[in-house]
Amino acid sequence: MTAPAANMRIDPDRLWDSIHEIAEIGPGIAGGSNRQTLTDEDAEGRALFQKWCEAAGCTVGVDEMGTMFATRPGEDPDALPVYVGSHLDTQPTGGRYDGVLGVLGGLEVIRTLNDLGIKTKHPIVVTNWTNEEGARFAPAMLASGVFAGVIDKDWACDRVDAQGKRFGDELERIGWKGEEKVGARKMHAFLELHIEQGPILEAEGKQIGVVTHGQGLRWIECTVTGKGQHTGSTPMYLRRNAGRGLARLTELVHEIAIAHQPNAVGAIGHIDVYPNSRNIIPEKVVFTVDFRSHELETLEAMQAELTDAFSRLDARIETVELAPSETVTPDGEIRPVEYTAALKVSARPDAPIRIVLTGHSDTVFAADHPFQTCRDVDSDTLNGPGVADMKGGLLVMLHGLLALERSPWAKDLGYDVLISPDEEIGSLGSGPVLAELGAKAHVGMTYEPALADGSLAGARKGSGNFSLRVKGRAAHAGREHHLGRNAIVAGAAFAKAIDGLNGQREAVTINVSRIDGGGAPNVVPDVAVVRFNVRVGDEDDARWVLSGLEKAVAEINTRDGIMADLHGGFTRPPKPMTPANLRMFEWTREAGRTIGLDLKWNPTGGVCEGNNLWASGCPNVDTLGVRGADIHSDREIAKISSFTEKAKLSAVMLMKFAKGEFDAREARALARAL
C-alpha cells in the first residue's frame, strides 16, 4: 500500500522563485530584506502576496490589525479551518526566509493541492500576521497578541516607533487596516513552518524538527546617560561615554544568560544612540534587553537578581511599572520616555501606624564613567560612585528595618519601601507612586546623604525642568536669508528674557542650561529647543515664575513666522519647614541623642523625594543616609562609621514610632491642618 501522500510533491522551483521575488521588495544587506512592518515596502509585499493568493483561488480577508487571511474553501461548510502561516515583516537585516518561508510555504500547499485537484474537508487559511518581529513597534507578535486576547487593541494601536509614529496611524496610511474584527475567527488547528530551528538542525545533521515549547520573553528598555563631548578634544579621563556603558551591559546580559543555561538566551537587540555622530561621544544610549526562556522560573530568576538585597525582610517584594513621561528631542519632536521598574517592599498593610521609606538605585555616574570602583581612602572613608548618594542610604534603611523586625513592637508598624530608578533625573516616572504612598502614610523617611557637616537638610526649594520648543522657517542663508525665520535667535531671545527674572525674588533661580538646534552653517535653523531649570522657595514663587514664563513665551510668539510652546513643569514642589516637618526633625534629634548624636538641620537648594512626599501631605525627614561629601563627583565619599550610627538612628526612630513614643498621627494631623 502506498503511504499517504507519498505521491504528493510541491513544486520547489515555484516556492523558491516566490521567496526570492518577494525578497526584492525592500532589499536589505548581504542579500537579505528590510521590509519592516507598516512601511511602504511592507504594503508592497502584502499586495504581491494578495495577488498570488487570489490567483490560487483564495479570498483574502484583513482584520483591524492588518493581519491577512487567504482562504481556500473546504467541502464541509461547518468544518473549522486549518490555518497555516507566519509573517512577511522583517528585521532591518535578514528576512529573506524568516517568516516568509512560513507564509509562502502555506501558499505553496494550496498551489500544490490545486495542481493535484485535491479538495479538502476543512478550509485552509494562509495567514500573514502583522508585526511579528517587533522591530519597529514593540512588543513583538503584536497583532497575534490582540487576536489571542492577551493584548488590548487600543493599546496596541497606540504603540509608537523610534520616530514617534503611531501603529494605528501607520496601518491606515499604508492602506491595510481591515474591517474584520480581531479574534473573531475560529481555528481547527494552526501550523507554522519556520527556519529558527535551522542552526540546531544543521549542527545535528537533521532535515526537520518539531517545536516542543515556545519561549517566554522579557523585554527591558534601558537608558544609559553620559555626556556628549568631542571625540578628538576630550581627554580620556574626562569622558562620559554612554556607548561604553552599553558595551559593558551587553556583556552583562550575555553573562546572565550563560549563568542560566541550558534553557535561557539573552541579548541586546534594538539600540538608539544619541546624537549618533561619528565625532561625538554618545551622550545617551537607549536599548532593549531581550531575555527568553521556555521556563518561567528561569525568566523570573534573571529578574530576581535585582531584589535580593531586601529579601531578608519578612515583607512582600514586587516591581512597580512606572508610567512613561515625555521629552522634547533636540530636533523638536515630542517622544515618550519609558522607565525601568521600581522596587517596592511592603509589610503589615493593616498596622495602625504606616511609614513610607524611600531611596533610589540610580546614580549620576554612567556605566562608562571612569569612576567605577570603590577604594578605602583611610580607615573611616570610602570613595566610590554613589557610596553616599545613595547606596549607603539603602544599606542604612535595610538594617534599620531589620532591627525593627527583631523588636517586639514591629507588629504595630507597617511600612512601604520604594526604591526608585529615576531620582537623579527628577522622579518623573516614580513621582505618581511616591504621591500614592505618601498619601497613605502617616510620616516618611528618605535616605539621602546628610549634608557635608553631618547636619540634615531642612527646608528645600522646589524644582522644575522645562523645555521651550521653537519652530521657525528654514531657508538658504545666502540666497534667501530674508525668507527664513531663525528659531535659534528666537530661542536665545527667550533665554535672555527668562534669565532676566533672576534676582527679582530672593529664592528664585533660573538656569538656562542648553540650546539645541541648527545644522549646516548655510541654512537658517527652523527648530530650536531651550532647556532650563527653575528653583523656587514656595508655591507663590512658582506661580510668579510660571506667569513670567507665559509672558516670555507670548512675546516670542509675536515674532513673524515663529511658533513656540513650553513643555515640562515643576516636578519637585517646595518642602518648607512647617510645624509638621519641624516635629519630624525634633523627633529625629531626640532619637539621635539616645545614641550620642547631636543632629542639626539647615535649609538647602537641593531637592529629593522628600519634596514629593511632602506634596502628598506626608511630613518627612529626607537626609537619614550616611555622612558623606562631594556627592555627584569622583571625589564622593562616605564615612564608614556613619553606616552603623545612621542604621541605629533609623532603628530607634522606627521603634519609637511603633511604640507610639513618636506620635506619627500627630505629625500627619499637623500637615493636614495647613
Side-chain angles (χ1 to χ4, degrees):
M1 179 178 173
T2 304
N7 62 335
M8 296 176 63
R9 295 288 186 272
I10 68 162
D11 185 340
D13 292 334
R14 180 171 57 194
L15 175 58
W16 185 255
D17 291 343
S18 297
I19 289 173
H20 292 285
E21 182 176 346
I22 203 168
E24 296 304 312
I25 300 173
I29 64 174
S33 297
N34 183 4
R35 202 168 47 253
Q36 296 182 61
T37 195
L38 308 190
T39 58
D40 293 344
E41 292 78 12
D42 183 24
E44 188 178 349
R46 288 164 172 266
L48 179 60
F49 173 61
Q50 180 178 22
K51 183 179 80 171
W52 286 340
C53 291
E54 291 174 344
C58 298
T59 57
V60 179
V62 183
D63 71 12
E64 298 166 305
M65 290 293 291
T67 298
M68 302 173 66
F69 304 97
T71 303
R72 181 181 192 258
E75 293 189 307
D76 184 351
D78 297 324
L80 290 176
V82 174
Y83 285 69
V84 59
S86 192
H87 60 96
L88 294 176
D89 68 315
T90 76
Q91 292 285 342
T93 59
R96 185 173 283 258
Y97 307 106
D98 182 7
V100 176
L101 176 63
V103 176
L104 298 187
L107 175 60
E108 183 57 37
V109 169
I110 288 176
R111 286 169 167 174
T112 300
L113 293 175
N114 291 344
D115 292 345
L116 299 174
I118 296 174
K119 296 183 179 180
T120 59
K121 176 182 177 180
H122 294 261
I124 298 174
V125 181
V126 183
T127 307
N128 169 34
W129 296 106
T130 301
N131 195 61
E132 192 275 349
E133 290 287 4
R136 185 180 176 195
F137 297 97
M141 296 165 284
L142 194 63
S144 58
V146 176
F147 187 98
V150 297
I151 296 176
D152 178 75
K153 179 170 73 71
D154 291 339
W155 183 87
C157 289
D158 283 336
R159 297 304 87 204
V160 295
D161 66 7
Q163 283 71 49
K165 295 181 178 179
R166 182 174 170 272
F167 178 97
D169 296 337
E170 287 294 277
L171 182 60
E172 293 193 22
R173 183 189 67 80
I174 68 168
W176 282 94
K177 181 181 180 182
E179 300 295 329
E180 183 179 311
K181 183 176 175 59
V182 184
R185 291 173 172 262
K186 305 299 181 184
M187 299 182 181
H188 180 66
F190 187 94
L191 306 174
E192 182 171 7
L193 175 64
H194 216 282
I195 68 164
E196 287 183 342
Q197 301 173 81
I200 299 173
L201 296 175
E202 187 174 8
E204 297 184 2
K206 297 179 179 179
Q207 291 296 311
I208 194 168
V210 177
V211 173
T212 59
H213 51 260
Q215 299 273 45
L217 64 86
R218 293 286 189 275
W219 280 3
I220 307 166
E221 185 174 275
C222 306
T223 300
V224 178
T225 303
K227 185 176 182 180
Q229 298 167 299
H230 197 289
T231 56
S233 60
T234 307
M236 297 301 293
Y237 71 92
L238 290 177
R239 297 186 176 210
R240 313 290 187 264
N241 189 340
R244 186 167 176 238
L246 167 68
R248 293 185 173 186
L249 290 168
T250 301
E251 182 62 23
L252 176 62
V253 168
H254 181 80
E255 291 173 357
I256 291 174
I258 289 292
H260 291 86
Q261 292 302 292
N263 297 317
V265 294
I268 292 173
H270 183 89
I271 302 171
D272 289 318
V273 180
Y274 302 90
N276 202 25
S277 174
R278 67 184 64 193
N279 62 345
I280 302 291
I281 298 167
E283 65 183 35
K284 184 173 73 171
V285 179
V286 180
F287 59 92
T288 302
V289 178
D290 186 328
F291 284 130
R292 302 194 185 199
S293 176
H294 69 278
E295 298 176 338
L296 180 59
E297 59 270 25
T298 300
L299 281 174
E300 292 175 339
M302 288 189 283
Q303 187 169 330
E305 294 183 20
L306 302 176
T307 66
D308 284 346
F310 280 80
S311 62
R312 295 165 59 188
L313 295 170
D314 185 18
R316 178 184 178 185
I317 301 176
E318 60 183 312
T319 56
V320 180
E321 298 297 326
L322 304 183
S325 62
E326 66 176 28
T327 187
V328 182
T329 65
D331 58 359
E333 296 294 324
I334 308 298
R335 293 186 185 171
V337 178
E338 303 286 341
Y339 300 97
T340 56
L343 180 66
K344 181 183 174 186
V345 182
S346 301
R348 296 178 290 277
D350 298 325
I353 300 298
R354 192 144 204 91
I355 294 181
V356 57
L357 302 95
T358 74
H360 59 91
S361 57
D362 58 326
T363 76
V364 299
F365 305 102
D368 64 336
H369 194 289
F371 185 40
Q372 291 294 322
T373 59
C374 294
R375 67 183 183 94
D376 291 323
V377 178
D378 54 46
S379 60
D380 192 41
T381 307
L382 181 66
N383 167 245
V387 290
D389 186 22
M390 64 177 304
K391 302 303 185 289
L394 294 179
L395 288 174
V396 167
M397 178 201 300
L398 173 61
H399 285 275
L401 289 170
L402 288 170
L404 170 71
E405 295 300 316
R406 293 190 295 268
S407 76
W409 308 289
K411 65 182 187 304
D412 296 317
L413 188 146
Y415 58 81
D416 291 301
V417 174
L418 186 73
I419 309 299
S420 64
D422 62 338
E423 193 276 341
E424 297 290 5
I425 56 174
S427 301
L428 292 176
S430 58
V433 185
L434 290 167
E436 178 185 353
L437 296 177
K440 296 190 301 182
H442 293 95
V443 295
M445 300 169 67
T446 295
Y447 287 81
E448 292 290 328
L451 301 181
D453 62 356
S455 59
L456 309 180
R460 288 186 180 271
K461 289 186 176 184
S463 174
N465 293 319
F466 297 81
S467 298
L468 181 81
R469 181 173 60 167
V470 186
K471 293 188 176 181
R473 184 186 304 142
H476 192 286
R479 287 191 276 178
E480 297 178 328
H481 183 271
H482 64 287
L483 297 178
R485 299 295 183 266
N486 196 309
I488 290 181
V489 171
F494 173 84
K496 182 179 180 181
I498 64 173
D499 185 67
L501 298 175
N502 285 309
Q504 297 189 30
R505 287 204 170 198
E506 183 180 357
V508 172
T509 57
I510 299 176
N511 180 57
V512 179
S513 61
R514 178 169 173 171
I515 298 180
D516 294 311
N522 62 343
V523 178
V524 177
D526 61 346
V527 176
V529 181
V530 183
R531 306 184 192 274
F532 57 100
N533 174 263
V534 181
R535 301 289 170 117
V536 295
D538 53 35
E539 295 295 341
D540 187 55
D541 285 342
R543 288 188 288 269
W544 179 83
V545 169
L546 291 174
S547 176
L549 296 178
E550 290 175 3
K551 291 177 182 177
V553 174
E555 175 62 29
I556 296 300
N557 279 322
T558 64
R559 298 189 173 210
D560 179 44
I562 295 293
M563 183 178 67
D565 55 348
L566 191 64
H567 298 264
F570 287 101
T571 57
R572 307 276 200 202
K575 180 190 168 187
M577 186 54 73
T578 64
N581 286 327
L582 180 61
R583 185 63 52 87
M584 288 291 296
F585 279 101
E586 291 171 342
W587 285 334
T588 306
R589 174 178 283 181
E590 182 179 336
R593 290 192 183 111
T594 66
I595 57 172
L597 295 179
D598 183 17
L599 299 174
K600 300 179 175 62
W601 57 87
N602 292 295
T604 176
V607 295
C608 73
E609 292 168 332
N611 294 67
N612 299 77
L613 294 180
W614 174 248
S616 67
C618 181
N620 63 89
V621 177
D622 59 34
T623 38
L624 291 170
V626 297
R627 288 185 282 114
D630 294 324
I631 62 172
H632 294 188
S633 79
D634 59 6
R635 303 178 306 280
E636 180 170 342
I637 62 166
K639 290 296 182 178
I640 297 172
S641 57
S642 70
F643 282 70
T644 301
E645 70 184 33
K646 288 301 187 70
K648 289 180 179 178
L649 176 66
S650 277
V652 171
M653 292 180 67
L654 289 166
M655 292 180 198
K656 285 183 174 293
F657 279 123
K659 294 167 66 176
E661 294 180 13
F662 295 164
D663 192 346
R665 295 185 183 90
E666 176 191 355
R668 184 72 189 200
L670 287 171
R672 289 172 176 164
L674 293 178

